[in-house]
Amino acid sequence: MLTLRRHFAAFALTALAAAAVFSSCKKDDPEKKEQAAAPVLLSCSPANGATDLTGTSLDVVFTFDQNVKSTSAQYAKMSIDGGALISRVNAYNADVTVSLSSLTAGTSYTLSIPEGVISGFKDNDAKAITYTFTMKEEEKPDPGEGDYDRNPAASLTNPDATEGAKKLYDYLLKNYGRKTLSGAMGGTAWETTYTDAIAAAAGKYPAIVGFDYLFLNWPAKSWDGCPDYGDITPVKEAWEAGNIIQIGWHWTVPSREGETELNNYSYTTKTFGVENALKEGTWQNAVMKAQIEKLAGYMTLLQDEGIPVLFRPLHEAAGDYVWGAWFWWGFEGADACVKLWKYLRDTLQNTYGLDNLIWVWTVQTKHTGNVSTDLGEARAWYPGDEYVDIVGADLYEAKGTTQSEAFKYINNSVKGAKMVVLSEFGNLLDIDGAFAEDAPWGYMMNWCNFEDGHPVFYAKNSDGSYSWNNTADDWKKTLAGSRILNRNDIPSLK
């Protein structure tokens, strides 16, 4: 996921640079400039004059009736009062996103954007904008707010959970705080070449194997490497070998109605929209329902085989609390994402009768790239204790760190009521050190990578640096740790 974020950021910067070059190379044509209609502001999100906003940061999106541009020199002319900061501005297509930080509860602010700071691509300047909003008064903290004891729920949130799901949850709960279960993605989506390679290098097989419904929309075997989700053999074989199964869903959707080219489906499109998807009668709603129905059909095959699943959809929804989301299910904010989570869970559980799922919610931890200290940021995105069984974090940090601050942030955000796991990571952590710092990750799931079709334990960036860089010896040492449970350590959960 880290590589995707960097590519997206690079694309945005390139787009801005291209706009600047385009502007500088134009010949002055007063007549055409005079005729070009100035960009008209259509909407603001949140709305101008919004009140009761929460958090210490805010992304304000200004949407115009045409594509617009700006430059860093023009950005500098924007101002905000009340001690707040403008941390980032991004002009993309018809949207200008202004990221604000250092906001204070109970304070009203005015953001001023002078005329000409934003313009169309014919150098037609937009009018000045005065945007006001008010942050909600700070609520009194809960009694004893601070570091919460770990006291996860004794049972699953689904009262009709299968016996297999109950047995798996009980096993995880029994070891929580004592041991960390090892795990990794089996491969790109529906195979185990990556975990097989870890086992060959380390001499021990990870306890949990991850799969993904990334290619749900593609017909089975429609291209080389495209999985057949109707063939559950890879999952079944891992389960029968003694592995625990985790499944994610990189949920790809079309960007426009009637899209037939599946390669244009994406999990980063900004034109699909959660609110549209949840609105009856829209084309987005029809697409969403059809995809969930298809997903349910495949997951029913696993339930029929008695296989419980750690299910982790809508992952990394909040992105960075200041810099924003990178997946479509997070672009419209916390409330929309929570509604989608609840809809997905209610539909799979109550409409399609999937009771073998243990629901894993990914809690984002970052605020401008650092671990957040504002519990309200995590809680705003949390679907609620009755909709979540386990909470996790996706972390790509330096090798050998403990990430205990992130663990405690997540644990405190749910008041200790859920197991905290490392739901995705790049570099291997120091698990013994994490336990010593009271951060006993329940389990850990390494993301996979391949070069020339072969699994590798690292991921290189375009500049030659590494996003993460594990070695065979790293894996061998980690899986031999006294705090680690591998596949051979797990009793039969059937």
Side-chain angles (χ1 to χ4, degrees), residues 47-115:
N48 199 354
T51 59
D52 288 343
L53 300 175
T54 59
T56 59
S57 61
L58 179 68
D59 277 357
V60 185
V61 180
F62 299 95
T63 301
F64 293 85
D65 66 344
Q66 58 186 273
N67 288 349
V68 292
K69 63 177 181 174
S70 191
T71 66
S72 57
Q74 290 170 314
Y75 295 160
K77 299 177 183 178
M78 296 184 183
S79 63
I80 187 167
D81 60 5
L85 300 174
I86 300 174
S87 55
R88 181 172 177 264
V89 182
N90 181 34
Y92 181 76
N93 290 341
D95 290 342
V96 175
T97 301
V98 181
S99 298
L100 307 174
S101 59
S102 298
L103 303 175
T104 304
T107 304
S108 295
Y109 295 94
T110 299
L111 171 66
S112 299
I113 305 177
E115 183 174 353

Side-chain angles (χ1 to χ4, degrees), residues 161-169 239 306-308 356 358 493-494:
T162 63
E163 290 304 313
K166 292 177 182 177
K167 194 169 184 178
L168 171 55
Y169 183 79
W239 170 249
I307 302 174
N356 64 325
I358 297 175
L493 296 174
K494 297 179 182 178

